[in-house]
Amino acid sequence: MDVLMLSRMQFASTTIFHFFFVPVTIGLSFIIAIMETMYVRKGDEVYKRMAKFWGKLFLVNFAIGVVTGILQEFQFGMNWSDYSRFVGDIFGAPLAIEALLAFFLESTFIGIWIFGWEKVSKKIHLLSIWFVAIGTTLSAFWILAANSFMQHPVGYTINNGRAEMNDFLSLITNGQVLVEFPHTVLGAFATGAFLIIGISAFKLLKKQDTDFFKRSFQIAVIVGVISSIGVAFAGHWQAQYLVKTQPMKMAASEGLWEDSADPAPWTVVASIDPENKMSSHELKVPYVLSFLSYSKFSGSVKGMNTLQSEYEQAYGPGDYIPPVRTTFWSFRIMIAAGMAMIFITLWAIYLMWRKKMDQPNTKFMRICLTGLLLPPIANTAGWTMTEFGRQPWTVFGLLTTDKSVSPNITSGQVLFSLITFNTAYAALLIVLIYLFVKVIKKGPNGVDEESEHSTDPYNTKE
């Protein structure tokens, strides 16, 4: 494989792996802040135990997530030096603010939160976890502001072959970031909620600390249902913006080769044939694509063949159609996972409303446990569609991916770093799983299951 393909594989692996951790950090910090707020307001010690127990998982995830983020940024300088030179002036400001303000905020107050129990007042301690939650969310905003420039460049001028910022306000009010940020952050809240829902369901199935995990489950379900439904609405706004700014990505996500009818039907499934530029065996739902694109049940959507001609006129000869199968199916996987999340949380709300959580359905709890996997699947599929659908552009309309790669590296060097990074990621994943399992087995009381059920009154194993 050539340098470009290997560099793309490395970008995909580092980005996907890093983004397993980011949503968990944002989501857990927010829910822990809610739990500690309930402790301060009600004085109920169980909420304090909740904040401490889920906080342990948050800290493990945060620490490993930081390491994966460093590795990800490292590969930008190695494999994408021409890209880095092109956008360096644009990305400098948001990434510097992210590091100096958002990351500084969360890192500082994490220290107060970890070591401040019983040493600072309850309100100061509560404030610290809210600052951590705000810091993680602000961090996401600045990263997404940079990413949004790649999707929809604004506030720049081209000088000496580089994009240089001439309007910072336009960069941070980019329409792309205004629709991408709520979609991503709400997805992160849902990720944190489903982590708690899944682990709580596991503990409830084993009948361990039932009151503690039932209350954790209920808080997470409320956050989960609001954020899961919110993600769907934010995704709808994002789709409408996509039609205006990246119509080729929208057409590829629909497998739409020719202009659609008016009103446009939404394709549920299809057999995509990129070589012959056609789709077959399509199952379509009338009106839905028009509504998804324009919030009304009328309007045609341009197909890839029309857009290819328009792009050639605007940007010159070339193939501007992204990998259609990947874009099409990743979009549907994201939607399917999101709908499953809404269904599970609504089902849980129904059980809570009917007061059936005292003896929850075993089958439902197993579904909740499996639901742990839904947010990572949705998050990965969503970003796959976002990044694949933009191809062949790294920065839409300005810089193609093949011109972004470092000119002075060899395939062997990239292959070596690819293997090294993925080995490091595998090791980090093992460490994460080990620490998560250890914390979960000990439970909120900090007592290992084996010790908890031991008949040895002196617990000599410890």
Side-chain angles (χ1 to χ4, degrees):
M1 283 184 279
D2 60 12
V3 169
L4 177 60
M5 179 55 70
L6 287 168
S7 296
R8 294 175 76 170
M9 289 173 62
Q10 187 166 106
F11 175 80
S13 63
T14 55
T15 303
I16 288 172
F17 192 77
H18 177 58
F19 206 70
F20 285 152
F21 299 92
V22 175
V24 175
T25 296
I26 296 172
L28 271 187
S29 64
F30 177 73
I31 298 172
I32 291 167
I34 292 174
M35 291 171 172
E36 190 166 342
T37 301
M38 295 175 75
Y39 162 61
V40 172
R41 287 181 61 85
K42 296 186 176 182
D44 189 338
E45 287 288 322
V46 73
Y47 294 114
K48 179 180 179 181
R49 292 170 60 220
M50 280 185 197
K52 285 190 171 185
F53 174 74
W54 298 111
K56 290 176 186 174
L57 299 181
F58 164 74
L59 292 173
V60 170
N61 181 81
F62 178 80
I64 295 181
V66 169
V67 176
T68 63
I70 292 170
L71 289 177
Q72 188 196 23
E73 292 192 11
F74 192 58
Q75 60 101 31
F76 275 114
M78 286 194 313
N79 299 349
W80 303 100
S81 60
D82 278 358
Y83 160 76
S84 299
R85 270 190 288 272
F86 184 78
V87 299
D89 186 75
I90 302 289
F91 281 21
L95 295 185
I97 295 172
E98 190 271 336
L100 293 174
L101 179 62
F103 188 68
F104 178 78
L105 185 70
E106 60 184 318
S107 301
T108 301
F109 283 95
I110 275 180
I112 296 174
W113 190 77
I114 295 171
F115 301 108
W117 290 105
E118 321 303 342
K119 294 183 178 63
V120 298
S121 71
K122 289 181 181 178
K123 290 184 178 179
I124 294 295
H125 197 270
L126 173 63
L127 199 60
S128 68
I129 189 62
W130 274 111
F131 275 132
V132 171
I134 292 168
T136 58
T137 307
L138 286 176
S139 183
F141 175 82
W142 293 112
I143 297 293
L144 291 174
N147 179 269
S148 294
F149 181 82
M150 297 163 65
Q151 313 290 338
H152 182 215
V154 294
Y156 72 96
T157 184
I158 299 296
N159 192 18
N160 294 323
R162 297 172 65 248
E164 296 182 355
M165 186 192 304
N166 62 9
D167 189 344
F168 180 69
L169 186 61
S170 291
L171 184 72
I172 62 174
T173 58
N174 187 344
Q176 176 68 27
V177 75
L178 297 183
V179 293
E180 191 170 309
F181 177 68
H183 189 61
T184 306
V185 169
L186 287 168
F189 291 167
T191 304
F194 267 79
L195 181 71
I196 295 176
I197 289 170
I199 294 172
S200 297
F202 173 73
K203 286 290 191 178
L204 290 172
L205 282 168
K206 300 192 77 173
K207 301 187 186 307
Q208 294 173 351
D209 299 296
T210 52
D211 179 62
F212 177 93
F213 285 107
K214 190 173 75 175
R215 292 206 216 181
S216 296
F217 183 91
Q218 290 171 337
I219 292 171
V221 161
I222 292 169
V223 174
V225 73
I226 294 172
S227 54
S228 297
I229 294 173
V231 166
F233 279 102
H236 177 60
W237 299 328
Q238 196 167 358
Q240 293 181 56
Y241 195 77
L242 196 64
V243 174
K244 297 176 184 174
T245 57
Q246 296 183 75
M248 182 66 86
K249 185 190 292 185
M250 186 66 175
S253 72
E254 294 302 316
L256 189 65
W257 297 98
E258 304 297 337
D259 295 354
S260 76
D262 184 2
W266 184 66
T267 306
V268 182
V269 294
S271 175
I272 309 292
D273 183 358
E275 288 74 26
N276 295 307
K277 296 186 176 181
M278 60 179 293
S279 301
S280 59
H281 303 93
E282 298 169 298
L283 174 61
K284 296 187 176 185
V285 181
Y287 301 100
V288 175
L289 182 56
S290 289
F291 183 78
L292 190 67
S293 303
Y294 310 115
S295 283
K296 59 182 183 179
F297 294 105
S298 63
S300 174
V301 177
K302 288 184 179 178
M304 286 178 277
N305 291 334
T306 299
L307 292 166
Q308 170 68 24
S309 299
E310 292 181 1
Y311 281 26
E312 285 180 355
Q313 290 180 7
Y315 306 116
D319 182 3
Y320 298 98
I321 297 177
V324 182
R325 285 198 189 98
T326 307
T327 309
F328 180 87
W329 286 111
S330 58
F331 185 39
R332 275 138 194 84
I333 291 170
M334 177 186 70
I335 291 176
M339 294 303 291
M341 289 159 62
I342 292 173
F343 174 74
I344 289 173
T345 48
L346 285 176
W347 189 355
I349 290 289
Y350 171 77
L351 292 177
M352 288 162 55
W353 176 56
R354 297 296 302 268
K355 302 187 185 305
K356 292 186 175 181
M357 285 301 297
D358 289 337
Q359 292 183 331
N361 184 305
T362 301
K363 184 179 178 182
F364 175 65
M365 283 297 157
R366 286 177 180 160
I367 291 173
C368 289
L369 176 58
T370 309
L372 262 173
L373 300 174
L374 291 173
I377 291 171
N379 294 335
T380 302
W383 277 111
T384 299
M385 177 205 164
T386 300
E387 300 303 304
F388 270 83
R390 193 181 61 241
Q391 295 304 312
W393 303 104
T394 311
V395 181
F396 184 79
L398 299 178
L399 183 70
T400 53
T401 306
D402 61 335
K403 293 179 180 174
S404 303
V405 73
S406 300
N408 55 351
I409 54 173
T410 66
S411 298
Q413 289 171 329
V414 184
L415 181 62
F416 175 77
S417 61
L418 177 63
I419 294 171
T420 303
F421 280 8
N422 282 285
T423 303
Y425 283 160
L428 288 171
L429 185 61
I430 292 170
V431 170
L432 177 84
I433 293 172
Y434 170 76
L435 292 174
F436 262 44
V437 170
K438 189 174 181 181
V439 171
I440 293 167
K441 285 182 71 175
K442 285 192 172 182
N445 297 320
V447 179
D448 194 277
E449 290 173 20
E450 292 181 4
S451 302
E452 192 178 18
H453 295 98
S454 172
T455 54
D456 179 0
Y458 301 103
N459 198 17
T460 52
K461 288 183 180 178
E462 293 195 353

